[in-house]
Amino acid sequence: MFKVLAITSGMKQAAARLRMGELILPLRERGIELTMAEWGKNLLERRALIRSASDFDAVILQRRLLDPGNAQSLRKRAKRIYFDVDDAVMYHAGNVGWWSRWRTDRRFAATCRILDHVVAGNEYLADIFRASNCPASVLPTVVDPQHYQCKLHQPTESPRLVWIGSHSTIGYLELIRDALVDAAKVIPGLRLTVIADRTWADAPLPVEFVAWSADGEAAALASADIGIAPTPDDRWTRGKCGFKIIQYMASGLPVIASPVGANSIIVRPGSTGFVAESAADWTARLLELANNPQQRAEFGAAGRRDVWSIYNLSRAADFWMRLLTSS
């Protein structure tokens, strides 16, 4: 059995669960034993974890940037080192002080020096690592389509939008506040479901808040009619890999998204949904889909087919098997 150690920043993080944790069983079926470990909270735990790398055939750093000393120690012990990333971890979301920027820059440079290969969630991230002389491949974020219920679209006078995310990105909904106000004037029954760890305060339309849970997200998504993904455009968000869009598509929902980062690649305009920039664009696309259940059904079906063929967990397992065993 080929043994791989995946080092994560935190086992509860979505990226660790989705891009590594869900691969444990399908990789085992392919002859690869994946062990996940959290980066230690103290020096002794970290040293022990680094020493254990020599017991494995490969190590995957899952979004984890290392200080120069730890990076060098890991390089001495690990046979092969891969880096899996689905966020712009070399940057920061929002404004931070010079110390945080310097520390991240230092860790990014030190980590790049020890890597054998990078697996990035989109081309934007891959190109950043390539510019630092790291070989990089692109593996989109994937889901298990069988986890999601498929929406059965019907005519409705109260179409339901849905947004799934967390408190760190719920502010992105403010980008389309004016569009939601205008759309609700035309369709008074328009509603929004927010699946997250907190609701959207002061929303301009009725909101149903659903506290996120792994067991409840599929049913909450399938109760909606249209998935939305407004996103600002900056160097942090360009590293986003469109996970919520893939979830919408897996649920058979048409999607409206900002053309930022991987969004423009995942959404096929006129086939699985639309991309929208201005408030007028958002309003027009919201009204078009809200008033057309047949179009919603066709876009949703096409999106679900894309998930089965492109954004499928088994595809990611095949990718990692080839990469890990080809060295």
Side-chain angles (χ1 to χ4, degrees):
M1 185 75 74
F2 193 93
K3 296 172 60 179
V4 179
L5 173 66
I7 299 175
T8 75
S9 294
M11 302 292 280
K12 293 183 180 180
Q13 289 187 355
R17 175 173 58 87
L18 296 166
R19 286 185 69 90
M20 288 288 109
E22 293 199 358
L23 286 170
I24 291 175
L25 290 178
L27 282 179
R28 185 176 298 155
E29 294 169 354
R30 291 160 173 80
I32 296 174
E33 189 68 34
L34 178 64
T35 300
M36 294 184 64
E38 188 170 335
W39 185 240
K41 295 179 179 153
N42 58 59
L43 183 61
L44 291 177
E45 290 179 354
R46 293 172 182 177
R47 285 181 175 174
L49 183 59
I50 290 173
R51 285 197 301 270
S52 73
S54 59
D55 298 328
F56 294 85
D57 297 294
V59 172
I60 300 172
L61 292 172
Q62 211 286 311
R63 291 171 45 114
R64 183 73 220 182
L65 299 176
L66 302 181
D67 288 322
N70 288 326
Q72 292 172 12
S73 295
L74 181 63
R75 181 69 277 178
K76 290 177 182 177
R77 291 165 175 80
K79 300 176 180 68
R80 301 282 293 177
I81 304 176
Y82 300 87
F83 196 87
D84 179 73
V85 61
D86 66 342
D87 259 327
V89 294
M90 66 293 297
Y91 304 136
H92 292 274
N95 295 320
V96 297
W98 69 268
W99 169 254
S100 292
R101 292 195 301 271
W102 175 82
R103 183 177 60 182
T104 299
D105 289 346
R106 183 169 178 260
R107 288 176 174 174
F108 178 68
T111 303
C112 285
R113 285 194 292 268
I114 68 167
L115 298 178
D116 292 296
H117 201 92
V118 174
V119 177
N122 63 26
E123 286 289 350
Y124 172 79
L125 295 172
D127 284 343
I128 293 173
F129 281 92
R130 289 166 184 153
S132 295
N133 297 316
C134 293
S137 301
V138 173
L139 176 66
T141 295
V142 298
V143 298
D144 181 357
Q146 298 180 84
H147 170 71
Y148 295 88
Q149 304 172 23
C150 189
K151 171 72 178 185
L152 179 61
H153 291 277
Q154 300 286 349
T156 176
E157 294 182 358
S158 54
R160 185 182 294 271
L161 312 175
V162 65
W163 180 89
I164 188 169
S166 70
H167 67 277
S168 64
T169 54
I170 198 168
Y172 295 173
L173 287 167
E174 291 290 343
L175 296 170
I176 59 170
R177 173 178 285 273
D178 291 345
L180 293 174
V181 169
D182 291 341
K185 289 177 181 177
V186 179
I187 305 176
L190 190 67
R191 298 170 294 166
L192 171 67
T193 296
V194 170
I195 308 169
D197 50 357
R198 71 173 176 86
T199 192
W200 182 20
D202 193 32
L205 75 173
V207 170
E208 178 188 357
F209 170 62
V210 178
W212 180 88
S213 70
D215 293 333
E217 66 175 2
L221 286 167
S223 70
D225 299 292
I226 303 165
I228 58 173
T231 313
D233 187 9
D234 56 45
R235 67 178 188 172
W236 169 259
T237 57
R238 289 172 208 140
K240 293 290 183 184
C241 295
F243 176 53
K244 60 170 54 66
I245 295 175
I246 295 168
Q247 288 185 291
Y248 299 151
M249 290 164 50
S251 304
L253 301 180
V255 179
I256 308 174
S258 303
V260 176
N263 294 5
S264 298
I265 296 173
I266 300 170
V267 179
R268 294 191 290 116
S271 295
T272 61
F274 298 110
V275 293
E277 294 190 75
S278 68
D281 288 341
W282 271 94
T283 301
R285 296 312 189 184
L286 286 168
L287 293 176
E288 180 176 348
L289 286 171
N291 289 319
N292 194 332
Q294 181 63 33
Q295 186 180 52
R296 295 200 303 270
E298 291 173 357
F299 283 12
R304 189 163 169 85
R305 287 194 297 270
D306 281 1
V307 171
W308 274 102
S309 62
I310 303 171
Y311 307 105
N312 192 333
L313 182 63
S314 64
R315 182 176 182 270
D318 289 340
F319 173 94
W320 274 109
M321 180 190 67
R322 291 192 298 269
L323 180 64
L324 291 166
T325 59
S326 65
S327 304

